[in-house]
Amino acid sequence: MIHTTAGEIGHFFVILSFVTSLVSTFAYLRIALANNELLRNKAELTQWRWLARGAFYVHTVAIMGIVGSLFYIIFNNYYEYHYAWSYSSRALPAEYVLSSFWHGQEGSFLLWLFWNAILGVVLIYTNRDDRPGRKTTHQWEAPMMTVFALVQAFLASMILGVVFGGTFKIGSSPFLLLREAMPDAPIFTSNPSYIPEDGKGMNPLLQNYWMVIHPPTLFLGYAMTLIPFAFCIAGLWKNELKEWMRPALPWALFSAMVLGVGILMGGYWAYETLNFGGYWNWDPVENSVLVPWLVLIGAIHAMLIAKKSSTGLKTAIILSVSCFLLILYSTFLTRSGILGNGSVHSFTDLGLSGQLLIYMLVFVVLAVALMVVKWNRIEKDEEETSVYSREFWLFIGTVVLCLAGFQILNTTSFPVYNKIGEAFGFSPNIAMPADQVAHFNKFQVWFFSAVAVLTGIGQYVWWRKTGKNNLNALITPALITLFISGGLIAYGNITKPAFMALLTTSVFAIVANSSILWGVFRGNYRLSGGAVAHIGMALMLIGVLFSAGYSKIVSLNTTGLLISKSEDFTKNDNKENKENVILWLNQPQKMSGYLLTYRGQRIEIRDVPDYVPRSWVEPIEGAGPELSYHGIALRDIEQNGKLYHKKGDTVALHPENTYYEVEYREPGGKVFTLFPRGQINEQMGTGGFLPSPDIRRMPGKDLYTYVATVPDPNSEGTWSPTETYRIAPRDTFFVNDYVAVFDNIEQTREVDGTPLGPNDAAVKAVIRVLDKEREYVLKPAFIIKDRMVGRKAETNEELGLRLQLNEIDPRTGLFTFTANTTQRDYIVMKAKEMPLINLLWIGTFVLVIGFSMAAVRRYREFTQMRDKKKPSLVSTAR
């Protein structure tokens, strides 16, 4: 039975959310444009307020209804819906079923709508023009919420899913039935009521706990950038050219914190999950989110200097508007399909690119037009800003941040330039840099060196410790910086001028801001948020410098032999052949001070805490959806003295993941184990093996290990031609390169996979196979069941050997065995050391603390000023 009710309810809420956002926009616009007659008519004005607020509240309820309907469909496995079928499956654990909600484009737009609706309700409550006890003369609610509701109308249209005339489409509905999304599929021609038993499931690379919390955090950051934009537009609209910054500044700080955390969560997910060897690869989608964050940081600093500088005020307006517009541009880049294969993160085009472009251009035109009209109303500075003033240094820092963002944006937009050229009849064919990481690093190292040194100088000037006649205050931190950075340069053997500059300036930022922080702590700790944030940024830069610039490959191939002749391994002067080691199963091998042993393949059983050998479970093939991704335990599964499953139990598996157990033995005898992961991931378009790392975290470095190549998991391997041996107990024979001894024969009542009755019989041959360092025992079985003869071979993956007992001759006492050999199990592995990477994560934590302190302080100032408890403009203290 097709469950159409849930989808119909969800689609009703989508339409309701769109209509109510338009109603709220109109009502708030009517209030914002109110003439004197309406302002004098309090009753009518109140009615318009009730309509505007009520419509937005209903809009929020409708968004909750959409969310609830989609969750209901996903959690109840209604795979007749295209969205649930595309991104969920019965095998997904509950937390990943949750994250499949925002896996697709429609879900991500809905997540954005959800956060905007929540923030809108908060802003209505905190900025109500008729709030009891409100003494402020500034009326923010109507103009600001006009912008907010209009943005919601555009976002709601992205999931509207309404088609006019059979061709003109507005939005893509998450409640589309599978038969509506795929009307030409043959199955629906023969069976219109067909419902798949299971969904396609989530991309295995996204089945990571960071992807459960990273997208909601990132989209909350997206939503919060709308608030400074809305206040800025409201300020320009109502000629409150400075006052808009008071309520906008704390929200801008919160937004910078949340968006920054979201970006770094994505970096940590990449570090733990992807195999490009780090946390940042200058991917176009990563770049498109980083640029608005840099511009937002610039906007915050511009707001801080806007009280005494019209240049700062103009810059704050431009950057506050630009930040939100860049978020829209980022959305266009990632969801229009324009990036093509340039990013592993980008979505495919759902036919919304034109709608996304209109969405972006509408706000670009409205914002630019309003700025142009109001530009001459901004007061001009009476005198030029002094080079010794705090405003000058903050402005220079803002400019450098924006230049850094522009360089990233320019290169990332090459595909857009090509599309624009094609639209005008010519093909620019601007190619992305061959080595994007080197390209961006070449510029960004110098930009952030400048940012780091400016944070130190700017703080000293801001707190009046230095000026035109007093530069001595900078001498002490400069000398301390030279002493510390000189030692670090010598210790780290840093020779590249760009890296030396970044390290020195980052140390200076820490030293200078720490001294400021100490002075502030002795007075009022609430004023120290800026210094704390700057210290966090400097720690992050040092962590990035050492972990990325001075990572060390430890898996060097010293044999002189090529591991692979494939292009991936032979290009760049056999780079991968030189930087990988091949590990044979249970064969120890030395690697850069470690003794490594590959112990075999491991899998996950969902209710068992640790991995188990793959040989312990036999997967159930061809089962229905209730038993998909399940297996039969071939032995008791016990860990740490606790029995989780008995032999013969059905167990639930994580089928996409195979873990390769690698044992590391240090020179002192200490042993630790890493489990790098591999997936057969058809959804990434390669159809091949996709590795994910495992990481050994140590105080001064991380040991980063991943498996580059394994034998083809889809192939059972090529076995040699069968060899036959006719021998007696105690005989010795040779199998491949091994010496084998047929010890004896033993009766048994247990043969895996073959239950024996009271009249059945079975024996096992005991054969010892001698390798260089150890001895293996194989026990092939000979079975007589129901008067029929059966044979069960035994395979040893470490030896690449399969033995089978074929015949028993009671007259001669001879036994006939057959043997086949194949290549032994192995992995090709890369390992690298990432020095001082913990400084990056520590710096992130410190940065968040700094932003939080600054945001709380600015919010307190705003509320005090709003309620007329303490007169204040944008504070001059940081």
Side-chain angles (χ1 to χ4, degrees):
M1 182 183 71
I2 297 178
H3 303 85
T4 57
T5 303
E8 290 170 350
I9 293 174
H11 192 62
F12 165 75
F13 280 126
V14 171
I15 296 173
L16 181 63
S17 71
F18 178 68
V19 172
T20 50
S21 61
L22 289 177
V23 171
S24 184
T25 302
F26 177 77
Y28 272 123
L29 180 64
R30 178 70 178 88
I31 299 169
L33 297 176
N35 53 28
N36 291 332
E37 181 180 349
L38 178 60
L39 292 174
R40 287 193 296 268
N41 190 337
K42 300 297 183 182
E44 184 179 356
L45 186 61
T46 299
Q47 290 176 353
W48 279 108
R49 281 179 179 152
W50 276 104
L51 176 62
R53 293 170 186 166
F56 196 88
Y57 292 151
V58 173
H59 167 78
T60 302
V61 172
I63 296 298
M64 300 301 176
I66 303 170
V67 170
S69 299
L70 189 56
F71 269 127
Y72 182 81
I73 288 170
I74 292 173
F75 275 96
N76 284 282
N77 302 319
Y78 290 166
Y79 298 123
E80 58 265 46
Y81 288 94
H82 184 258
Y83 196 89
W85 174 79
S86 297
Y87 305 117
S88 183
S89 72
R90 297 179 186 273
L92 279 179
E95 65 271 22
Y96 299 140
V97 173
L98 174 69
S99 59
S100 67
F101 173 85
W102 47 76
H103 191 291
Q105 285 207 53
E106 300 92 339
S108 61
F109 279 122
L110 183 52
L111 184 61
W112 196 352
L113 271 164
F114 169 80
W115 284 126
N116 271 356
I118 297 297
L119 292 172
V121 171
V122 172
L123 289 171
I124 291 174
Y125 178 76
T126 55
N127 293 277
R128 288 173 57 185
D129 299 335
D130 57 345
R131 183 178 175 182
R134 177 65 54 82
K135 300 178 182 179
T136 181
T137 59
H138 305 300
Q139 305 294 315
W140 295 119
E141 181 188 357
M144 179 196 60
M145 289 305 300
T146 301
V147 177
F148 233 89
L150 182 60
V151 168
Q152 287 295 85
F154 273 100
L155 281 176
S157 73
M158 304 307 296
I159 60 171
L160 200 55
V162 175
V163 180
F164 296 95
T167 56
F168 183 69
K169 174 184 175 183
I170 300 179
S172 177
S173 173
F175 302 106
L176 201 64
L177 291 172
L178 193 59
R179 66 187 182 191
E180 297 170 336
M182 306 167 65
D184 298 328
I187 186 64
F188 294 115
T189 303
S190 58
N191 182 12
S193 299
Y194 170 74
I195 300 175
E197 293 185 341
D198 203 359
K200 292 170 61 178
M202 179 180 291
N203 186 325
L205 283 179
L206 300 181
Q207 294 183 35
N208 179 283
Y209 60 94
W210 285 108
M211 295 310 291
V212 178
I213 58 176
H214 160 57
T217 304
L218 192 65
F219 275 96
L220 176 58
Y222 271 32
M224 294 181 78
T225 61
L226 174 58
I227 301 177
F229 173 80
F231 274 115
C232 180
I233 296 298
L236 291 172
W237 186 355
K238 306 303 288 185
N239 295 319
E240 304 276 6
L241 300 179
K242 280 187 178 180
E243 290 76 4
W244 67 269
M245 289 182 292
R246 295 193 189 104
L249 183 56
W251 283 108
L253 287 162
F254 275 123
S255 176
M257 179 189 71
V258 174
L259 187 59
V261 169
I263 293 170
L264 287 162
M265 281 181 176
Y268 200 84
W269 163 74
Y271 184 60
E272 282 197 338
T273 306
L274 303 182
N275 70 314
F276 57 71
Y279 37 81
W280 194 264
N281 205 36
W282 294 108
D283 181 274
V285 173
E286 296 171 344
N287 297 346
S288 68
V289 181
L290 176 64
V291 172
W293 186 74
L294 293 175
V295 171
L296 179 58
I297 300 300
I300 290 169
H301 286 80
M303 290 181 198
L304 294 169
I305 61 176
K307 180 190 175 191
K308 290 190 175 182
S309 169
S310 67
T311 302
L313 178 56
K314 292 175 181 177
T315 304
I317 292 171
I318 293 172
L319 297 185
S320 297
V321 169
S322 298
C323 177
F324 177 69
L325 296 181
L326 284 168
I327 289 290
L328 298 184
Y329 182 63
S330 169
T331 305
F332 173 74
L333 280 180
T334 56
R335 287 165 172 77
S336 64
I338 201 168
L339 293 177
N341 296 323
S343 171
V344 299
H345 300 88
S346 61
F347 290 93
T348 56
D349 186 11
L350 292 180
L352 304 179
S353 53
Q355 195 173 335
L356 284 166
L357 187 60
I358 293 172
Y359 178 17
M360 181 175 64
L361 291 178
V362 164
F363 284 95
V364 169
V365 171
L366 288 176
V368 171
L370 188 59
M371 285 193 292
V372 169
V373 170
K374 301 291 184 176
W375 201 250
N376 291 330
R377 290 178 175 268
I378 300 175
E379 298 178 0
K380 296 182 179 180
D381 294 335
E382 296 180 0
E383 57 184 33
E384 293 186 3
T385 302
S386 169
V387 72
Y388 299 100
S389 69
R390 53 196 175 192
E391 290 79 18
F392 173 82
W393 290 101
L394 279 179
F395 181 74
I396 295 299
T398 300
V399 170
V400 173
L401 280 170
C402 293
L403 288 174
F406 176 77
Q407 189 272 326
I408 299 170
L409 184 67
N410 179 55
T411 303
T412 304
S413 298
F414 283 175
V416 179
Y417 300 157
N418 290 332
K419 287 290 185 181
I420 293 174
E422 292 171 7
F424 284 94
F426 65 96
S427 298
N429 288 328
I430 306 175
M432 295 293 286
D435 188 344
Q436 294 188 46
V437 174
H439 169 79
F440 285 110
N441 287 347
K442 177 174 64 176
F443 293 98
Q444 295 302 315
V445 164
W446 293 107
F447 281 126
F448 277 92
S449 295
V451 169
V453 75
L454 287 170
T455 63
I457 296 175
Q459 281 287 348
Y460 263 78
V461 175
W462 188 269
W463 292 99
R464 300 186 184 277
K465 289 203 171 190
T466 186
K468 185 174 182 179
N469 300 317
N470 179 24
L471 296 175
N472 295 332
L474 289 171
I475 294 177
T476 300
L479 291 175
I480 296 173
T481 297
L482 291 175
F483 177 77
I484 296 174
S485 59
L488 290 173
I489 289 171
Y491 176 77
N493 194 26
I494 298 174
T495 57
K496 294 182 179 180
F499 290 176
M500 294 169 68
L502 182 60
L503 177 61
T504 302
T505 53
S506 298
V507 171
F508 175 73
I510 293 173
V511 172
N513 282 280
S514 294
S515 61
I516 294 295
L517 185 62
W518 174 249
V520 174
F521 264 127
R522 290 184 298 175
N524 186 349
Y525 75 93
R526 290 180 299 175
L527 306 181
S528 57
V532 172
H534 291 158
I535 291 171
M537 180 213 66
L539 289 171
M540 291 173 65
L541 291 177
I542 295 174
V544 169
L545 168 63
F546 279 96
S547 62
Y550 290 93
S551 60
K552 175 186 174 184
I553 300 293
V554 294
S555 55
L556 297 176
N557 180 7
T558 58
T559 65
L561 302 175
L562 295 182
I563 296 174
S564 172
K565 294 182 179 180
S566 68
E567 183 182 354
D568 289 341
F569 275 73
T570 57
K571 64 183 180 183
N572 299 326
D573 191 26
N574 280 303
K575 183 176 184 294
E576 294 304 311
N577 273 311
K578 295 175 181 178
E579 296 182 353
N580 283 271
V581 294
I582 185 167
L583 300 178
W584 299 97
L585 185 64
N586 286 326
Q587 299 293 316
Q589 180 173 324
K590 291 183 179 180
M591 185 197 77
S592 186
Y594 297 102
L595 185 66
L596 268 63
T597 308
Y598 166 46
R599 295 299 187 189
Q601 300 180 24
R602 305 290 181 260
I603 59 174
E604 286 180 282
I605 299 176
R606 293 188 186 174
D607 56 351
V608 177
D610 297 325
Y611 309 124
V612 302
R614 180 182 286 278
S615 60
W616 288 12
V617 178
E618 180 72 28
I620 300 175
E621 303 291 346
E626 288 76 13
L627 286 179
S628 62
Y629 306 140
H630 286 67
I632 302 297
L634 300 179
R635 51 163 288 171
D636 289 349
I637 297 175
E638 183 178 353
Q639 289 183 356
N640 300 320
K642 180 179 178 180
L643 180 64
Y644 287 90
H645 294 282
K646 293 183 179 180
K647 180 179 178 180
D649 285 353
T650 300
V651 297
L653 307 174
H654 287 291
E656 299 91 349
N657 302 327
T658 298
Y659 296 85
Y660 300 88
E661 182 177 349
V662 181
E663 179 187 279
Y664 281 78
R665 184 177 296 273
E666 298 178 341
K670 185 177 180 180
V671 176
F672 61 89
T673 303
L674 294 180
F675 294 90
R677 182 180 69 180
Q679 298 177 348
I680 301 300
N681 194 329
E682 302 292 344
Q683 297 184 45
M684 292 300 288
T686 63
F689 178 77
L690 289 176
S692 295
D694 197 9
I695 303 165
R696 169 75 170 180
R697 293 172 174 82
M698 295 171 272
K701 62 185 177 183
D702 278 2
L703 179 63
Y704 185 95
T705 299
Y706 68 90
V707 174
T709 304
V710 297
D712 185 359
N714 290 323
S715 171
E716 294 183 359
T718 302
W719 291 91
S720 67
T722 300
E723 295 185 19
T724 303
Y725 303 87
R726 188 174 173 84
I727 55 179
R730 308 292 184 183
D731 280 355
T732 298
F733 60 105
F734 294 92
V735 181
N736 200 8
D737 296 330
Y738 308 114
V739 176
V741 179
F742 176 23
D743 279 341
N744 56 45
I745 201 84
E746 61 183 27
Q747 290 187 341
T748 182
R749 296 300 299 172
E750 291 187 5
V751 179
D752 288 342
T754 306
L756 299 177
N759 297 321
D760 300 332
V763 295
K764 288 183 178 180
V766 180
I767 299 176
R768 286 183 295 122
V769 182
L770 310 179
D771 195 8
K772 295 177 182 179
E773 299 183 2
R774 59 176 295 187
E775 169 180 297
Y776 301 87
V777 177
L778 278 71
K779 295 183 176 182
F782 189 88
I783 309 163
I784 300 176
K785 180 177 174 61
D786 299 329
R787 297 184 179 183
M788 298 181 66
V789 174
R791 301 166 184 88
K792 187 170 182 62
E794 182 159 1
T795 302
N796 187 290
E797 295 181 351
E798 299 175 39
L799 299 172
L801 176 63
R802 180 172 64 196
L803 287 178
Q804 180 171 294
L805 176 55
N806 268 20
E807 294 180 5
I808 301 175
D809 190 339
R811 295 174 298 174
T812 62
L814 296 179
F815 296 77
T816 302
F817 294 91
T818 57
N820 304 89
T821 59
T822 189
Q823 182 172 261
R824 291 180 295 165
D825 189 17
Y826 70 91
I827 59 172
V828 175
M829 191 195 80
K830 176 178 276 192
K832 63 192 295 188
E833 292 179 346
M834 311 275 281
L836 299 183
I837 192 172
N838 285 333
L839 287 181
L840 170 59
W841 314 126
I842 293 171
T844 301
F845 182 69
V846 173
L847 185 73
V848 169
I849 292 175
F851 272 126
S852 301
M853 294 170 65
V856 169
R857 176 194 165 206
R858 297 296 173 180
Y859 181 73
R860 287 175 176 171
E861 287 182 357
F862 163 63
T863 55
Q864 290 171 355
M865 183 60 189
R866 181 190 63 191
D867 297 330
K868 296 293 184 178
K869 294 180 180 178
K870 182 170 67 175
S872 171
L873 290 176
V874 176
S875 177
T876 60
R878 293 180 73 222

